[in-house]
Amino acid sequence: MSNSSTASWRTQVKQLTGDLIDFIFPPVCANCGKIGVLLCDSCITSLPTVYEPVCPICGRPLKKSGPQCGRCQESPLSLDQIRAAVLFAGSVPNIIHQLKYNGMFALAEPLAEIMASSWHRWRQPVDIVVPIPLHPKRERARGYNQSELLSRHLCRMLDLPEEQQALKRIRNTHPQIELSAEDRAANVTGAFVADRRRVEGRKILLIDDVCTTGSTLSEAAKSLLEAGAASVSGYCMARAV
Amino acid sequence: MEWAGPAVIPDATHGLTGHGSGCLVSRTLGIDSVIMIVVFLAVGWFFGLWASSIAGLSSAQWFLITAAFSCVAFIRRRQRIESVSCLVLCFAGLAGARFAAASPTFGPSTIAFFNGSRQTTFVGIVDAAPDIRDGTIFLRLRAETVSLDQIGEIPVTGMVMVQTHRFPVIPYGSRVELNGSLEAPEAIDDFDYEAYLARQNIFSQMKFPEITVLATGKGHPLRAALIDLRARTHLTIDRLIPEPQAALLAGILLGDDSGLSSDLSEAFQETGLTHIIAISGFNIAIFMGVLLRLGDPFLSRRGAAYFAVSGVALYTVLVGAEASVVRAAVMGAIYVFSSRMLGRPTFPFASLAVAGFIMTLIDPMVFWDVGFQLSFAATLGLMLYAEPLTHWVQRQLERGLDKNLLRPVMTLLSDAVLVTISAQILTIPLMIAYFKESSLISLVANAFVLPAQPGVMIWGGLTALIGAIFAPLGKLTGYVAWLFLAYTTEMVEMFAGIQDAVVPINSQTWAILAAYGLIGGLTWLGLLHYEKRTALWVWLRQRLDSRVVLSSAALIFALVAAWALTQPDGRLHVLFLDVGQGDAVFIQTPSGRQILVDGGYYPSVLNEKLGREMPFWDRDIDIIFATHADADHISGLPDLFQRYQVARLVTNGEDRGVSEIYDAMITAAETSRTIIRPAVAGEQITVGDGVILEMLHPNGQLFDDNRNNNSICLRLTYGEFSLLLTGDAEEKAEQLILAERQPLSATVLKAGHHGSKSSSTVPFLEAVQPQIVVISVGESNRYSHPSPELLQRVSAVGAEVLRTDELGTIEVISDGQQIWWQAVP
């Protein structure tokens, strides 16, 4: 009893400090500049949602539904399926750029909320949720790992078990954004190592911010499967078309 | 993701967040009005501070006002605009109460209570690092006890500013006994020294007292260590870098510009670059940026932010935590906090409003601090204009420039030019209001000098740091620092050398307010969305006839033209007004400040003559001298105090009762809150532009039974031009002046006593050696002035005689080298 009252007292204080900070540093919409919220309602509604039909494996939007897309046939991914909340189009590239490169890490929360609201459409099997890690060097330079933040908020919202330590990045790879589709796969080869104790026999959901070719997710999945994971699927904020 | 409104004012915010039309600002700007409330409240708060400084109500009365408005706000909580306005006024009331509470009261337990007593003995502790100037030292003392004759020592509180001899230096923390005359500080010419000290909570001063050091090391040990560290750093700089670059570096790094020569200081002022010699937002921003960059490779984004903020905090403490530095540091910390810790974009105006609110809450006097106002305006300008300006320039450049070239060009432009422009848009009117001049080359000078400043700070800082540990290496970095510093001084001197770069502007308060109104209006237009701007334009066109627009444009043009034509022309004008039998000399300085010496007999004549000469927009007269109590000199004056705002009246020290007209003048001056001072021989008044008024006579008290001999005598100098005005002084006064007040030489002399033979005696004329003698006299007057004997004496010294009875009003003009004269029709 007393425990719950302290907890509520704490949340109240937290709420109050949050209000005070918002009062002194009012948030501005990261996309359109409107004052009041970090991502305003009209910007959220204008985000390009992913609609079916999609490729049942890589999640790429397709003209008509079918078994799998051409690319997945050519070079199969090592995970079961990839899904995303929105398309990497419209204002999404800008918002994600703000999140990753302009230090606007607070954006992870509203973005995770968008991911949470589209979650019910995909129903992926999950035992544990694992964010795609950044190399420690890069994470220190950036101050945070956006995928980890997304995953943390998402797990809180959907009440999923989170496992931050399951995957490590051992090679400081070039940013995928600079590379062509062919080079991407080579770039991330051997970049990850999974912790067998944490993943063995589990159904794993990988979280990433953007999925373009799927190479990063695929490479991470490879490591997880090698370490004995039962299955691996991926869920991203945005899916490049 | 609903944004939770602030917990402070639920009623009003509830009303505001509702649907439908918001308040005017939110509707037009598309801004959520809940957030704007912070800004509104801060505006209310600032308004309250200002109102309280004028109204002089007590805290309790202000609380009553606050309570009344909060009641109205509660009753009308459903009406958005009304309730918000009332809340804003509530805040104004609170600000009024805060200011009233901060206004000092001087009870017998405060040292200021003893102001004005001739010989005071008190004990105090030196509370700050001694401010060492060329010839003297200023010590800030915290008073502990005062010795009274009968009672003995009683404990007191309060601060005293003590001016003392250069040596011996009395260090921080010394307990000293002082014996001297304790005075209330007074304004020194243009500079409101009293208000300046009041902002530091100092209400007493003592000049050159007897000082006995009772003990040392009584200050706070940490403070003493910091002061010591600062002094050591200063010494390191002085050892490793030559002057004047060392003095400049000490100003930039340590905020101590006392070593800078007055010529160089002036050059900085003329080029609009003073902001780099004092530690200001600019320096703090560079320092913060350097620290962030230093921290980033080793620390996380947050870690680097903590590192930078604590570094700046330490630095602030090191340089003495002056209000201006604290302000800049707070602003910097807010910026770093919002950009690095919160990880989101924020509405910067609210932060600025809150920062301003907190600073004035802690110390309401800060609101009147020129530095505070300037940095607030500069920050606001940066927030408002920097980004749109950069975008606009980039768009323009994109059309004509190669992409590879665009980046470096933009970097150069945005740092040096665009940021300066943005900051200056809102500071220029303030600068004009305070310094009565505007530098035309400031922008160019800033563009050349600012890019070197990070180099100055980094290499200068390294030199100070390394030099303290290993001097030979410090010498090496010192060379690099010197390069940047010498570039700065050379540039500043070069730009200051440009002729006519500084335009004197004698502005009126309303003109400054109008300028801000105009800037505000244009900004508002600029912030409007494109469609709304178009809609406004259509709305205007529907209501405004083209004839109305044209005629008002013509009207505005004519007014601006008239204003421009009546601007001071940068020359000194001395007008001997034709007021019939009597004296009235009107002086206008190169930057348009006005001085009137006597006012003749007829108020209507004086008003008319003066009205023709004063610019139509100028309703201020800086000083009126009433040379003596005779009606032909001062009858015109009492009326003037109602028509013009007269800053100061100088009398010859006569008491009330000497004549009715004299009493009337004193009463009129008192009613219009003009400062009244007796003339003190030897006192100099600097009125700007190098114009100096020296009082020669009398010496604060009456000199002779003959009223004429108590006339104020004045010598004005401007470059090589000089003017001697002696009122009606006769032989006896002239003898005294000859004996005590050399040199007396003057280009222009107004013959004493309207050319009577009892004045302008031969030895006096020989000492003065005038080129022109003006005789202010009425046509065919009953005294037969001027006397033929006098005219002969004047021609004997070879001077030209100009008479107002023959020529009417006579105008003498000088640029400091040449003189011209003309009869004014």
Side-chain angles (χ1 to χ4, degrees), chain B residues 504 506 568 571 588-594 615 617-618 620 622 689:
Chain B
N506 195 8
R571 287 172 176 160
Q588 188 155 327
T589 69
S591 58
R593 313 193 67 176
Q594 290 98 10
W617 40 267
D618 193 348
D620 295 333
D622 291 89
D689 315 306

Side-chain angles (χ1 to χ4, degrees), chain B residues 116 159 167 200 217 229 257 306 370 384 393 418 442 503 531 616 695 743 781 821:
Chain B
M159 310 292 295
F167 294 103
Q200 305 171 45
L229 181 61
D257 61 351
Y306 280 122
V370 185
L384 278 171
V393 171
L418 301 178
S442 150
V503 186
E531 309 95 66
F616 70 96
M695 287 182 254
N781 61 76
W821 72 266

